[in-house]
Amino acid sequence: VLGIPIVGLIAGTTSVTYYQHQQSNLQAELRGLRDAETGLPTILASLLDAETGVRGFLLTGDRVFLTPFDASTRALPAELRGLTQQVSGNPGLGRIADAVSALAAPRLTTLQRLVARGPAETPEARAAQQELLLEGNDQTNQLRRLIGDLQDEASRQYDEGFASLQHVRLMISIAFVLSVSFGLIGGIAAAILMARGVVRRLHRLEGNARRLAAGEEMLPLPPAEDEIGRLGVAFEDASALLREREALKASILSSIAEGTVVTDLHGRILSINPAMESLAGWPASDVLGKQFAEVYRIVDRDGEPIPWERTRLYEAIASGLTLAPEGYERTMVAADGRRFPFGSTSAPLMDGDGRVCGGVELVRDVTREREIDQLKSSLISTVSHELRTPLTMIQGFSELLVTRSLDATSEKEALHQIRQASERLARLIDDLLSVARIESGRLAVRAEPVDIGVVIDEVVASYAGDRAVSVDLDGCPAALADRDKFVQIITNLVSNAVKYSAPGIPISISARAEGSAVHVSVSDQGIGMDEEELAHLFERFYRSERSEVRSEAGTGLGLYITRSLVELQGGQIWASSTPGEGSTFVFTLPAANERKENAA
Amino acid sequence: VRTMLIADDEPGIRTLVRMTLESDAYEILEADDGEAALAIARMRHPDLILLDVSMPKRNGFEVCRAIKADPRTSDIAVVMLTARAQQADREQGAEAGVDDYFTKPFSPVALMQLVEGIYSKQRSA
């Protein structure tokens, strides 16, 4: 780019120098011509003076007249030489000058001859003298004409030279102007080109700065060693640092297991994490920039939507205080319309100066917590109800015994009722403790090979009373089970069979190997169960509403505990039944020999 | 002779009430679920019904509402006799139109006084 003005200036300077050289040549030439022009009349004058002197001498014989002749004779050769020298190298003038010399020299010789002869004393001599003088006149006229030619020629050449000089001067001016123009235009062009390059790079730099501010990816800049290049590198470093920090923040945000929503002061969503995406079902791209309350619709216990001004996030932003989660009453509506109860920690977001600049909502699905809470409530109310009934009997019958004088039959009945109620309370407490142990996961299972036949015999002896029990073991292998828990399972099933079938109707128990498991079934021919009862049979506190069932003491926990004990030992339990015909309960446990083979 | 119905799915409670109130002055009827209670109430029109809440088939509140809604039985005094002692349960009872609310465990002496109070009120009315 810099070459353009330099080339322009060099070309200009060269041509100016060239024309100046020509100019000085022409000036020297013109000076020569002018000298020649002025010298010619001197030569002519010298000759005329000499001739006039000679004529005077010849007429008078006085040698005084010869003074100009002598001077001319002495000066003329030098003057002629000078003329020849002056016009040397100028062919046009040279030729005329040679002719002048050629005429001037013989003229001088003629005059010398006249002087040598002296004044004419004879008519012949006078005639010869006259002839020589006339000849001299011709020569002089010729010389005058030649000198006139020479002068004309010199004058013409001078005019020509002068015109050339004027032309050269014009050329010099043009060259100068062109050179300056080239230099200026080139310089301006170079400046514009350079400036455009700088501006373009600055523009890209500015674009990058804007992208940096917006958190976008920057465009690569061509590397350069100047300030702009270094500025670009500094921007890239800053961008890399920001990216690193951004990545760290993003990874912190995404590793938070709770749904996290970050908003500005007005509840506009700035960021959410993957946990929040999966919790509410909206991808981040759908919610960024939208209002928190428009995306995450929150409804209260009665299903009424909670407006933004009543959300806890709004409250946290307005008050600058962090609000801890409370209760399980509020639910959030997910993208698919599903509602889930949530707990949230709402906190204000502070800027560097401690001013609130937004809010952070940590959202947790509390479905399970709410279930547990509801379960706890229902457990407490059920338990208190279950406790109140036997307590009512103990309190009531004992008060009757104390305040009334009952007859012997009533007294016995009252005492019997008190005893039954006490047993029921004890059973209830045992069952509740079992449930608590099962649900806390603190129930340890010590598995060992258990002889099923032995356990069944023990249980039948204790709980079947006078009921006929048929036992079919069919060479069943030992089960791998916790003996105490196995006893509890069989006891619960046998006592249920006894409870819900008429006295005297037999019960049957069988066990057989099925693959790597032992299947044990307990069947009765009692009241049976309908579909509804079968569906809820193993639920905690479930009791059929039928009076045949209600009239029997029960906590509604027996089969729940039985199922838990079976499952805890790696087995399954199910029941089949026909109302009025009887029920069969089947449970499985791992066979002991299978485990042994595996161990071997 | 005054007629009284005790409706409770717990036989022990029915026995307790019977033993508490049984005398020549009262005839005591028993029902072990809500439907039976309603049927007996319509058939025998007792002067007083002691109603448990948690009963099979129809709960005590439903039975009470049905009795109070039926002009043939609406004059029967209904006393809830229940283990459900929470305020919400009492409010539900009041809505169903019960005449009194008695919670388990209860004192037989207090129950007798309540029953006698109701009878004397009915006599004077």
Side-chain angles (χ1 to χ4, degrees), chain A residues 389-404 406 414 418, chain B residues 16-17 19-20 105-109:
Chain A
T389 304
L391 259 180
T392 303
M393 290 192 259
I394 291 169
Q395 194 182 326
F397 284 111
S398 59
E399 193 179 314
L400 282 179
L401 283 171
V402 171
T403 57
R404 298 262 186 93
L406 300 170
I418 289 171
Chain B
L16 177 62
V17 171
M19 209 177 273
T20 303
F106 60 90
S107 154
V109 174

Side-chain angles (χ1 to χ4, degrees), chain A residues 388 399 404 424 545 550, chain B residues 9-10 20 56 104 107 112:
Chain A
R388 272 169 202 273
E399 193 179 314
R404 298 262 186 93
R424 187 166 157 186
E545 298 213 318
R550 285 302 173 98
Chain B
D9 60 336
E10 288 282 348
T20 303
K104 297 173 184 173
S107 154
M112 219 164 77

Side-chain angles (χ1 to χ4, degrees), chain B residues 48-73:
Chain B
L48 169 68
I49 303 176
L50 293 174
L51 260 183
D52 184 23
V53 173
S54 310
M55 280 189 298
K57 291 174 185 172
R58 294 183 87 162
N59 76 35
F61 294 131
E62 288 169 5
V63 172
C64 180
R65 265 195 293 277
I67 286 170
K68 292 295 179 183
D70 186 342
R72 290 171 299 168
T73 53

Side-chain angles (χ1 to χ4, degrees), chain A residues 49-298:
Chain A
D49 284 353
E51 200 181 319
T52 311
V54 170
R55 281 176 196 269
F57 166 67
L58 291 180
L59 286 173
T60 60
D62 187 351
R63 298 202 71 96
V64 173
F65 289 100
L66 288 181
T67 309
F69 170 76
D70 291 340
S72 289
T73 310
R74 278 195 305 276
L76 198 60
E79 284 173 349
L80 285 174
R81 260 197 323 279
L83 177 68
T84 314
Q85 268 173 5
Q86 272 169 0
V87 299
S88 69
N90 187 331
L93 288 179
R95 206 173 52 247
I96 303 171
D98 286 348
V100 169
S101 294
L103 274 173
R107 178 72 187 128
L108 202 56
T109 314
T110 311
L111 287 176
Q112 280 169 339
R113 263 191 5 242
L114 283 168
V115 171
R117 281 180 196 165
E121 276 123 25
T122 60
E124 294 84 21
R126 204 172 282 124
Q129 194 178 43
Q130 209 55 45
E131 196 182 335
L132 276 173
L133 279 173
L134 282 176
E135 192 183 329
N137 277 350
D138 284 349
Q139 283 179 332
T140 300
N141 286 339
Q142 216 175 334
L143 198 60
R144 190 177 273 132
R145 213 169 39 250
L146 271 178
I147 284 178
D149 287 352
L150 195 62
Q151 270 186 317
D152 288 348
E153 177 65 15
S155 173
R156 193 187 58 77
Q157 284 199 2
Y158 185 87
D159 288 347
E160 246 179 44
F162 192 75
S164 293
L165 188 64
Q166 294 290 74
H167 176 73
V168 164
R169 280 187 177 149
L170 183 66
M171 290 308 286
I172 286 175
S173 299
I174 289 171
F176 183 74
V177 167
L178 282 179
S179 154
V180 167
S181 304
F182 256 105
L184 268 177
I185 291 168
I188 289 167
I192 287 172
L193 281 177
M194 263 184 74
R196 275 179 60 183
V198 168
V199 165
R200 198 170 55 238
R201 290 168 61 209
L202 274 177
H203 192 72
R204 294 177 85 168
L205 202 60
E206 190 226 352
N208 270 357
R210 221 193 294 277
R211 279 182 202 95
L212 186 64
E216 294 167 8
E217 191 73 16
M218 301 205 308
L219 296 179
L221 282 176
E225 286 299 313
D226 60 2
E227 287 83 349
I228 295 175
R230 284 195 290 276
L231 201 55
V233 170
F235 268 137
E236 270 160 19
D237 290 350
S239 160
L241 190 67
L242 281 178
R243 267 203 305 275
E244 214 171 277
R245 287 187 184 168
E246 201 64 34
L248 181 66
K249 269 192 274 180
S251 76
I252 289 172
L253 203 58
S254 54
S255 64
I256 294 174
E258 297 190 338
T260 306
V261 185
V262 182
T263 73
D264 68 7
L265 271 178
H266 312 290
R268 217 168 56 90
I269 298 168
L270 301 177
S271 173
I272 70 169
N273 71 345
M276 193 66 207
E277 287 183 322
S278 55
L279 199 57
W282 280 287
S285 53
D286 282 10
V287 305
L288 293 187
K290 290 188 182 161
Q291 282 300 119
F292 176 84
E294 278 171 24
V295 176
Y296 302 111
R297 281 183 297 134
I298 300 170

